[in-house]
Amino acid sequence: MLNRNKILNSLDGTLDNATKVSEFWKMVAFIKWNEVYHVKS
Amino acid sequence: MCGIAGVIDRNGIDLNILYRMSAVIRHRGPDDEGFLTVDTNKKFYLNRGDDSIPEVHSHQHIISNFSEQKIQVALLHRRLSIIDLSAHGHQPMNYNGNKTYIVFNGEVYNYREIKSELAAKGYSFSSDSDTEVILASYREWGFDCVKKFMGMWAFAIYDHEKNIVFISRDRFGIKPLYYFYKDGKLVFASEIKAILEDKNIVPELNTETAYQYIAFSKANNPYETLFKNIVELPVGHNMVVNLSDFSINLSSYYNLEDAVATTASSNIKDYFAEYQSRFSESISMHLRADVPIGTCLSGGLDSSAIIGFAAPQLLNTTFNSFTAIYDDKKIDESFFANQVVNHFQNIKPYYTKPNFNDYWKDLDKLIWHQDLPIASTSMYAQWEVMKLAGKQGMKVLLDGQGADETLGGYSVFTGVYLFSLLKKMRLAKFYHEQKCLKKNRGIKISNEVMRGAFYLVPSSLKKSARAQKRVGTTFLTEEFTLQNSNVKDKGVIGTNYRDMSIVSTKYGMHDLLRYEDRNSMAFSIESRVPFLDHRLVELSIAMPDDVKLHNGWTKYVLRKTIDKKIPDSVVWRTDKKGFVTPQKNWITDLKPQLTFLFERSKNAFNAQ
């Protein structure tokens, strides 16, 4: 569902606009939510 | 303000589940706990839990063996005592000894006025609580009682005579109510985590809403959730559960469009005077409590306006304010917050400085409380503010949610307004407003007008353009994006200032109200939102555009309302921030922790 490499690559400060930064944190929240609630896919 | 939940099941209920449901939402109401159970013979029992007040210790414990029959209806209540702190406020509560019981989360602020009306009809009351007024109102007006209420609520009433459970949610969804319904079994609760305590309900991903959350930051149907089969009771709706056949029936009792149209045609002579009157009354109503009240204070217009009207009414008491501040001057608003604090003698300010270390430390807990993913880090500032207020023992906080949606405070409204002036050929007014807007807010007018024009193009073209523009699929696999290529943003965005306010109030505010409820309740605090008094909302949206945007000032009517009541530097501020965090910097600050998270996580990467 999520592309691990794309997310890992974005940790190098390559996110150059606010929309992408927001999108990034949205992914973090989504991943965390999956873990916290043991969501089954 | 409290937490409620219930299970209705023709096949019988395992009361251990109810016990766990209550425990998992203890933060919503640590002051008291109570249960109502009804068996197959319609015999009902009041039960206690571990946190029940001593006055009800004669009741049997919820997980003791008190009935030989199957339990088919079970309601639970967690109490945060705010109005009538005595044992009279214990729930489930009944009215005057009859067989109608309620569990209630929220506040009906106009309970005193309704109580007087009912007393004139011969009703008597044994408590000073708003809960008892709801029960008497239900007895008098039936399902329509909710139309009398001003406030926020989610409640369930067991009506023994009618053999139903009547469930209702407030007009704007300030208070939450989620449910699972399948094969005659209904499980509902203030928070999803309580529903998931029934281990037969699997926390399964709804991939379509997950895609919508990622791509569009919202679901096409806001009442669906990212959990398959768990949905919200829509705002302004009632649900009736028929206990004869265990069917459910939903009905709407409130239509914002109609209410706005009625207000718009009511021939109000002076919108400024009317707004001031309704705002002032809303603040007075929201100050009704038997515990101290504090307030969030960002330094922006909305929270400052609340203080401008509330602080003078609380002159003989200390009014605590809670503010998030930052070292980064680009986002810090402490200058403005301090201006407001120093303007009144009875405000005691408290400050918190959100930082990436605490954010990371709290993130699991924060997401657990939220039930669902959060769209950005900005709501963390609100979490920290609530945490600080909780440490100070606050039980009630005021907050400015709703002003931007109802008065058009977001920048998108500016473009729509300017374009509407062009369309009506009001060129002199257009020229004047664009000049003032440029001066006040430094915005690029051509961009705003183009944006305004976009909202007026035919909806089919708009949907297509918006879908292309807003799709946030940067971090998705190509396969998952392809699988969901038919999932479109339905793009309900309105075509004029008023429609946009309606849409913004009905849908745009949806997640923000979840953040507000969960962030406050996580620390056992009731958050109150005076801008969402429905009479104020209806007036705000119904008012002509140029009362709201005038001489380059957004939310003009609000600025005029609080002019000279708080410092000019805040009333006539030209920038807008809201709850913000330096989220770009936090990516590099948290790189090691984020790397570890991305490398170890499985679910979100593997879901199809």
Side-chain angles (χ1 to χ4, degrees):
Chain A
M1 181 170 180
L2 302 184
N3 187 319
R4 200 187 306 264
N5 286 338
K6 280 188 189 173
I7 296 179
L8 282 167
N9 289 342
S10 64
L11 290 171
D12 295 330
T14 51
L15 299 178
D16 52 358
N17 67 56
T19 308
K20 290 269 166 67
V21 170
S22 292
E23 218 178 306
F24 174 87
W25 283 110
K26 205 160 57 168
M27 291 309 112
V28 173
F30 183 67
I31 293 165
K32 279 278 188 184
W33 171 75
N34 265 275
E35 286 194 348
V36 168
Y37 278 98
H38 307 289
V39 180
K40 307 226 174 348
S41 51
Chain B
M1 176 67 76
C2 306
I4 63 169
V7 183
I8 297 167
D9 190 348
R10 73 168 94 225
N11 297 317
I13 299 164
D14 175 0
L15 294 177
N16 285 294
I17 293 173
L18 207 71
Y19 181 69
R20 290 201 305 269
M21 289 174 84
S22 181
V24 83
I25 56 167
R26 184 180 187 277
H27 50 272
R28 296 190 74 91
D31 297 335
D32 191 8
E33 181 183 26
F35 303 83
L36 174 80
T37 48
V38 185
D39 69 19
T40 43
N41 292 335
K42 303 296 171 202
K43 190 170 177 191
F44 61 89
Y45 309 83
L46 288 169
N47 307 91
R48 65 178 164 82
D50 298 345
D51 288 326
S52 295
I53 52 173
E55 285 85 343
V56 299
H57 274 200
S58 57
H59 298 162
Q60 283 191 277
H61 197 279
I62 183 65
I63 51 173
S64 63
N65 188 20
F66 51 85
S67 171
E68 291 174 1
Q69 303 295 319
K70 274 193 300 197
I71 298 296
Q72 289 185 313
V73 178
L75 305 180
L76 81 84
H77 184 258
R78 302 278 339 189
R79 184 175 186 211
L80 184 66
S81 307
I82 286 171
I83 292 178
D84 189 345
L85 310 183
S86 75
H88 290 301
H90 176 79
Q91 295 184 42
M93 178 189 286
N94 80 336
Y95 175 72
N96 208 15
N98 71 10
K99 295 177 180 175
T100 304
Y101 281 86
I102 187 171
V103 288
F104 164 48
N105 168 32
E107 300 291 350
V108 172
Y109 298 112
N110 61 340
Y111 71 102
R112 291 179 191 162
E113 290 74 11
I114 298 173
K115 192 174 182 175
S116 298
E117 191 179 342
L118 289 165
K121 290 174 182 286
Y123 285 82
S124 60
F125 296 88
S126 59
S127 79
D128 292 324
S129 81
D130 51 344
T131 313
E132 193 180 16
V133 174
I134 295 175
L135 281 168
S137 300
Y138 172 69
R139 193 174 176 84
E140 175 64 23
W141 296 296
F143 302 150
D144 278 348
C145 65
V146 292
K147 294 178 183 172
K148 308 278 284 186
F149 302 156
M150 175 239 151
M152 54 183 184
W153 67 85
F155 64 72
I157 293 175
Y158 167 71
D159 187 330
H160 185 85
E161 283 173 25
K162 290 184 181 159
N163 200 29
I164 60 166
V165 175
F166 170 52
I167 301 173
S168 181
R169 191 178 183 200
D170 67 66
R171 295 175 181 86
F172 305 116
I174 305 169
K175 288 294 104 195
L177 204 287
Y178 297 91
Y179 69 94
F180 165 95
Y181 178 70
K182 197 175 179 186
D183 301 331
K185 175 180 177 175
L186 175 73
V187 185
F188 67 90
S190 303
E191 299 188 10
I192 293 173
K193 61 183 73 59
I195 296 174
L196 294 173
E197 284 301 318
D198 182 338
K199 299 305 172 193
N200 294 314
I201 301 172
V202 180
E204 198 175 344
L205 185 70
N206 181 335
T207 48
E208 186 167 320
T209 50
Y211 179 80
Q212 288 167 2
Y213 159 78
I214 292 166
F216 314 124
S217 284
K218 64 185 175 66
N220 283 334
N221 175 354
Y223 308 121
E224 285 185 44
T225 75
L226 270 68
F227 289 105
K228 201 181 268 185
N229 301 323
I230 297 177
V231 296
E232 290 185 43
L233 180 61
V235 304
H237 272 67
N238 293 333
M239 176 196 285
V240 176
V241 188
N242 185 334
L243 297 176
S244 303
D245 60 5
F246 292 85
S247 62
I248 64 170
N249 182 39
L250 272 64
S251 60
S252 166
Y253 67 85
Y254 182 72
N255 182 299
L256 181 59
E257 288 89 337
D258 292 348
V260 168
T262 304
T263 306
S265 61
S266 61
N267 198 24
I268 294 168
K269 296 274 188 303
D270 183 341
Y271 284 104
F272 291 92
E274 185 66 23
Y275 187 85
Q276 175 150 347
S277 163
R278 293 195 192 189
F279 183 62
S280 176
E281 193 185 356
S282 175
I283 296 290
S284 301
M285 292 271 193
H286 282 77
L287 291 177
R288 290 178 171 180
D290 295 326
V291 294
I293 294 179
T295 188
C296 298
L297 171 61
S298 68
L301 189 64
D302 309 336
S303 54
S304 303
I306 289 172
I307 291 180
F309 275 76
Q313 294 188 44
L314 298 168
L315 257 190
N316 297 322
T317 53
T318 302
F319 191 27
N320 294 333
S321 69
F322 300 90
T323 304
I325 58 173
Y326 299 96
D327 292 329
D328 184 347
K329 295 296 168 203
K330 279 186 286 190
I331 59 171
D332 179 59
E333 299 188 276
S334 53
F335 169 79
F336 297 104
N338 288 334
Q339 292 269 308
V340 176
V341 167
N342 295 332
H343 192 74
F344 298 95
Q345 290 187 340
N346 58 330
I347 297 182
K348 187 173 182 189
Y350 292 87
Y351 301 96
T352 181
K353 202 182 276 186
N355 64 79
F356 65 88
N357 276 324
D358 288 343
Y359 172 73
W360 193 253
K361 209 164 64 186
D362 276 0
L363 189 54
D364 281 12
K365 201 192 299 180
L366 188 154
I367 287 179
W368 181 79
H369 275 285
Q370 287 295 327
D371 285 331
L372 295 164
I374 54 176
S376 83
T377 63
S378 60
M379 54 82 75
Y380 174 64
Q382 188 186 48
W383 166 271
E384 283 293 295
V385 163
M386 298 297 179
K387 186 199 286 179
L388 177 67
K391 280 181 187 162
Q392 294 306 318
M394 297 307 302
K395 271 190 165 180
V396 178
L397 282 191
L398 305 178
D399 205 358
Q401 199 65 257
D404 284 325
E405 290 78 7
T406 57
L407 291 172
Y410 296 120
S411 63
V412 65
F413 285 88
T414 310
V416 168
Y417 178 65
L418 287 175
F419 192 79
S420 73
L421 292 177
L422 278 181
K423 208 176 156 200
K424 292 174 195 160
M425 295 300 283
R426 294 176 66 190
L427 299 182
K429 177 79 172 162
F430 172 81
Y431 179 74
H432 172 74
E433 288 296 342
Q434 65 90 20
K435 199 171 136 193
C436 293
L437 278 162
K438 208 183 277 182
K439 180 174 158 239
N440 289 348
R441 304 186 64 182
I443 58 171
K444 208 168 176 189
I445 297 301
S446 55
N447 287 355
E448 294 299 314
V449 173
M450 285 304 289
R451 200 198 292 199
F454 170 75
Y455 285 99
L456 296 176
V457 301
S459 58
S460 54
L461 290 174
K462 189 160 56 188
K463 277 181 208 164
S464 155
R466 189 181 169 83
Q468 294 302 319
K469 191 180 165 202
R470 291 288 182 91
V471 166
T473 52
T474 310
F475 302 110
L476 297 181
T477 60
E478 286 177 18
E479 191 186 7
F480 186 68
T481 306
L482 201 64
Q483 277 170 2
N484 289 281
S485 57
N486 60 337
V487 180
K488 303 288 185 201
D489 181 5
K490 287 187 182 160
V492 191
I493 48 183
T495 56
N496 58 46
Y497 207 100
R498 183 179 293 174
D499 285 353
M500 285 180 67
S501 283
I502 288 173
V503 169
S504 214
T505 303
K506 284 172 74 171
Y507 305 111
M509 206 164 57
H510 189 256
D511 279 341
L512 300 179
L513 288 174
R514 171 166 60 92
Y515 301 159
E516 184 88 44
D517 175 79
R518 301 304 196 289
N519 280 346
S520 55
M521 293 310 309
F523 302 101
S524 304
I525 292 171
E526 170 175 290
S527 178
R528 297 181 170 184
V529 283
F531 284 105
L532 292 180
D533 172 337
H534 70 279
R535 298 162 304 183
L536 188 65
V537 168
E538 290 157 11
L539 175 70
S540 300
I541 299 177
M543 286 189 296
D545 301 350
D546 53 12
V547 174
K548 291 176 268 191
L549 208 161
H550 184 71
N551 286 346
W553 295 107
T554 55
K555 296 191 275 193
Y556 184 67
V557 64
L558 179 60
R559 292 179 200 266
K560 289 296 284 181
T561 296
I562 57 167
D563 194 20
K564 309 302 176 205
K565 290 188 170 59
I566 57 174
D568 283 356
S569 55
V570 178
V571 177
W572 302 105
R573 264 187 83 171
T574 54
D575 59 335
K576 171 174 173 50
K577 293 196 173 94
F579 283 118
V580 287
T581 54
Q583 60 178 0
K584 186 176 179 190
N585 302 347
W586 287 6
I587 295 178
T588 40
D589 292 335
L590 288 165
K591 186 175 174 180
Q593 294 92 326
L594 287 165
T595 305
F596 181 66
L597 171 71
F598 299 147
E599 284 177 347
R600 75 155 193 257
S601 294
K602 290 192 179 94
N603 271 10
F605 291 95
N606 297 337
Q608 294 299 313

